[in-house]
Amino acid sequence: MSLRVYNTMSGKKEEFKPLVPGKVGMYVCGVTVYDYCHIGHARANIVFDIIYRYLQFAGYETTYVRNYTDVDDKIINRANERNISSHDLAEEFIVAFDEDMASLGLVRPTHEPRATDYIPQIIAITEKLIANGMAYEASGDVYYSVDKFPNYLQLSKRNMEEMQAGARVAPGELKQNPMDFALWKAAKPGEPSWQSPWGEGRPGWHIECSAMSSSLLGDSFDIHGGGRDLIFPHHENEIAQSEGASGKTFVKYWLHNGFVNVDQEKMSKSLGNFFTIRDILKTYDAEVVRFFILSAHYRSPIDFSDQNLTEAQSGLKRFYEAFEAAAAAITGIDLTGVSSDEGAKVEEKFVAAMGDDFNTALAIAHLFDGVRTINRLVSTKKFRKKTDLVAQVADLQQTIYRLGEVIGLFRSEPTAWLEKVKLTGLAKLSITADEIEAMIAQRLQARQEKDFARSDEIRSDLESKGILLLDSRDGTNWRLV
RNA sequence: GGCCCCGUGGCCAAGUGGUAAGGCAGAGGUCUGCAACACCUUUAUCAGCAGUUCGAAUCUGCUCGGGGCCUCCA
């Protein structure tokens, strides 16, 4: 199966060919662990989660590295505010991050390194850059000399003159060029520090990723990912460091996910418009969040809103309702010797969509086609006697489940999932499940007595409270309007 | 100011040269005591203008509108 990916470096979709046939090395910038993650972090991590899953589905033996940045100004500041150590603060939010990712149903990367476990490697790269003449020491700080790296700003497509015009040098920094950035920072009182050839200090942000990626994936690897906002300066600086040290091409494909916006604006703390993952999961099921995120292409911006999440929930419900109906319709039917190619048709389209720069929106649309086919077949007259149709439904159901696994969806038992969503919604109404059941019982009696006026009265009464009654052969069920 | 991206039906959203996927919502129909689910049918010429082309939502130019990066940031 062919795969094309959009490479930020070239600005184009390119045929994906890993450096080593059949194997992929992928590094994705993780989070700085100083606070709870928001929906934007959820998107970035879900996007690369499905890229990882798809690469494996496509047969690549994939090594996926996602780091924790556990030493940084923000961590230090936050730790000082709370009067605890940076280490303890980082640990607290690493645990929180892991919990959030687990509840969102992400698979764990192959490696999840912490920056502070790579201090020797960071120092080694820094020494090498100094030896190569690409970095210089100044009063215990070490800076990268961007003038020495000809390809600087190639990824972000900027030019040096204009960047320099806006660059600022903080007081006390001894930079030769205002664009130079710190590889190593001399220790200040109250900050975590490590011994180095330049005295006590701590690493700069960018060098951590260069050290962790080369240690776990080598000097050159296939995919480097992260949010758009990391293109400059973070990824630009990583390239400068890694290539400056190794002399080899750092990364073959650069992938960047788009933002989550709120009211068409970037979500940010300064605007106060951000939502944490744990808050969102109080109202919406994790798969709904994933479905919402995957319903747009990973490079497009998406707008976070209750309406959009509710729509995603309706869409996902359509899948689970079909699964429930399919399971009930085909259970216990012997299908030996009956075959179907319905699943293969869906799979082919799904793979084509995913292979075109991970077009999850289109891939899901093809799965919806499969759902419609299931629903249509299941309602055929004497369906259970027509084993060829039953085989098609079974095949589709199985295929959609299997493909859903590739994008991390449909992992719940349908009835349980539908029930959970129903009860979460019910919690917002002023009526309990028991009260509803009692009214259903009253209505049943009225219906048995053919008192349809009374029956309808109960129906409309419940409907005004947000509850819809569903009659079926097996009795009366209910759902939210 | 520099660089980059976007503007597709009521809403969300694919599609980047060959005649507009899918979802949500709506309308009509089948089904139902009524209702719901499901199914069937139905709803757009792609911000605007001008070009290139046999042919453009897709390429070029201009205009209008929105956003991002240039400082920490997924």
Side-chain angles (χ1 to χ4, degrees):
Chain A
M1 50 186 87
S2 79
L3 176 59
R4 284 156 55 77
V5 301
Y6 180 89
N7 188 349
T8 306
M9 185 61 91
S10 65
K12 292 180 187 134
K13 281 187 197 172
E14 299 176 19
E15 191 67 30
F16 180 73
K17 282 193 190 136
L19 297 167
V20 179
K23 294 191 178 185
V24 175
M26 169 162 106
Y27 185 93
V28 174
C29 290
V31 290
T32 300
V33 280
Y34 74 105
D35 206 344
Y36 292 115
C37 287
H38 54 61
I39 180 72
H41 298 109
R43 182 182 195 192
N45 284 287
I46 287 172
V47 162
F48 289 101
D49 179 64
I50 65 102
I51 288 176
Y52 176 45
R53 289 169 187 256
Y54 186 74
L55 289 169
Q56 293 185 109
F57 172 76
Y60 294 107
E61 188 186 311
T62 306
T63 306
Y64 173 24
V65 180
R66 182 184 64 205
N67 73 289
Y68 300 102
T69 294
D70 62 347
V71 53
D72 171 87
D73 288 340
K74 281 202 281 267
I75 295 174
I76 294 167
N77 293 341
R78 186 63 59 90
N80 287 156
E81 281 167 28
R82 287 179 45 185
N83 212 11
I84 59 175
S85 74
S86 292
H87 179 267
D88 288 352
L89 184 90
E91 283 305 315
E92 178 182 330
F93 286 106
I94 285 173
V95 170
F97 177 87
D98 289 348
E99 285 170 3
D100 287 345
M101 293 307 124
S103 52
L104 286 171
L106 301 222
V107 294
R108 294 201 81 133
T110 321
H111 302 287
E112 298 175 273
R114 299 172 190 205
T116 54
D117 289 335
Y118 286 78
I119 301 295
Q121 291 87 337
I122 289 168
I123 290 172
I125 294 178
T126 307
E127 284 183 305
K128 194 159 182 189
L129 286 168
I130 292 175
N132 289 355
M134 316 208 61
Y136 55 92
E137 188 261 335
S139 318
D141 291 340
V142 179
Y143 295 103
Y144 189 97
S145 184
V146 296
D147 294 326
K148 302 285 168 55
F149 187 68
N151 289 341
Y152 196 60
L153 303 183
Q154 200 180 17
L155 182 71
S156 54
K157 299 168 179 63
R158 298 163 199 273
N159 80 63
M160 188 68 88
E161 289 73 47
E162 279 154 8
M163 296 294 289
Q164 280 173 331
R168 288 180 314 200
V169 181
E173 288 186 333
L174 301 162
K175 293 180 179 176
Q176 291 172 0
N177 177 327
M179 291 295 292
D180 289 350
F181 56 91
L183 300 173
W184 189 263
K185 299 179 179 182
K188 297 188 192 114
E191 291 188 354
S193 66
W194 290 262
Q195 191 54 244
S196 82
W198 318 284
E200 285 281 321
R202 62 184 172 95
W205 175 34
H206 318 296
I207 193 74
E208 302 167 1
C209 284
S210 285
M212 289 182 272
S213 62
S214 65
S215 297
L216 293 162
L217 296 169
D219 289 335
S220 296
F221 54 93
D222 302 290
I223 293 176
H224 192 129
R228 289 192 89 81
D229 50 346
L230 296 182
I231 295 172
F232 184 89
H234 186 54
H235 290 163
E236 202 70 75
N237 292 353
E238 276 187 60
I239 295 170
Q241 292 159 350
S242 294
E243 300 196 352
S246 75
K248 298 175 197 157
T249 300
F250 179 42
V251 164
K252 196 163 178 191
Y253 304 98
W254 286 92
L255 272 49
H256 293 98
N257 66 274
F259 280 115
V260 176
N261 295 154
V262 173
D263 295 330
Q264 316 296 336
E265 278 185 318
K266 178 179 169 177
M267 192 167 64
S268 76
K269 299 209 166 174
S270 52
L271 289 168
N273 61 350
F274 69 98
F275 299 85
T276 64
I277 293 170
R278 32 195 74 198
D279 274 348
I280 292 166
L281 290 181
K282 285 176 192 159
T283 314
Y284 298 100
D285 178 76
E287 279 196 26
V288 170
V289 175
R290 183 181 279 262
F291 193 89
F292 161 67
I293 284 167
L294 298 184
S295 65
H297 187 90
Y298 77 90
R299 283 188 283 116
S300 309
I302 50 173
D303 210 50
F304 177 84
S305 67
D306 270 322
Q307 191 193 333
N308 289 161
L309 268 288
T310 303
E311 270 190 20
Q313 178 162 295
S314 300
L316 189 54
K317 236 163 98 176
R318 185 167 161 81
F319 277 98
Y320 274 118
E321 279 168 355
F323 291 143
E324 195 177 42
I330 67 177
T331 184
I333 296 176
D334 179 26
L335 290 173
T336 0
V338 194
S339 67
S340 150
D341 62 351
E342 286 295 324
K345 287 196 273 189
V346 170
E347 179 161 353
E348 190 185 335
K349 289 182 186 166
F350 177 92
V351 165
M354 289 298 288
D356 185 14
D357 199 29
F358 312 105
N359 193 336
T360 50
L362 185 58
I364 289 173
H366 294 317
L367 298 184
F368 269 117
D369 288 338
V371 165
R372 197 190 307 112
T373 309
I374 287 178
N375 286 332
R376 188 167 39 211
L377 292 172
V378 164
S379 58
T380 310
K381 280 180 182 153
K382 300 197 173 142
F383 169 74
R384 287 172 64 85
K385 291 213 165 74
K386 298 176 180 166
T387 50
D388 55 327
L389 300 190
V390 175
Q392 287 174 19
V393 168
D395 184 25
L396 278 169
Q397 181 199 36
Q398 213 174 49
T399 303
I400 295 173
Y401 269 134
R402 190 162 43 79
L403 299 178
E405 182 67 26
V406 177
I407 51 178
L409 290 175
F410 322 135
R411 302 168 68 253
S412 307
E413 197 284 311
T415 307
W417 188 88
L418 292 166
E419 193 67 16
K420 180 188 165 192
V421 166
K422 193 164 88 168
L423 292 176
T424 308
L426 184 67
K428 291 184 209 154
L429 302 178
S430 57
I431 188 164
T432 66
D434 286 346
E435 287 165 358
I436 296 168
E437 293 301 338
M439 289 179 77
I440 288 175
Q442 285 179 35
R443 178 165 168 276
L444 179 64
Q445 194 181 342
R447 291 178 76 202
Q448 280 165 350
E449 292 162 5
K450 301 260 189 259
D451 183 358
F452 293 123
R454 173 66 185 145
S455 167
D456 288 351
E457 192 185 322
I458 292 170
R459 172 187 288 288
S460 63
D461 184 25
L462 278 171
E463 201 165 329
S464 69
K465 289 174 175 145
I467 303 298
L468 200 59
L469 296 183
L470 313 170
D471 294 326
S472 76
R473 206 188 319 157
D474 308 321
T476 300
N477 212 325
W478 58 271
R479 71 170 179 86
L480 305 176
V481 173

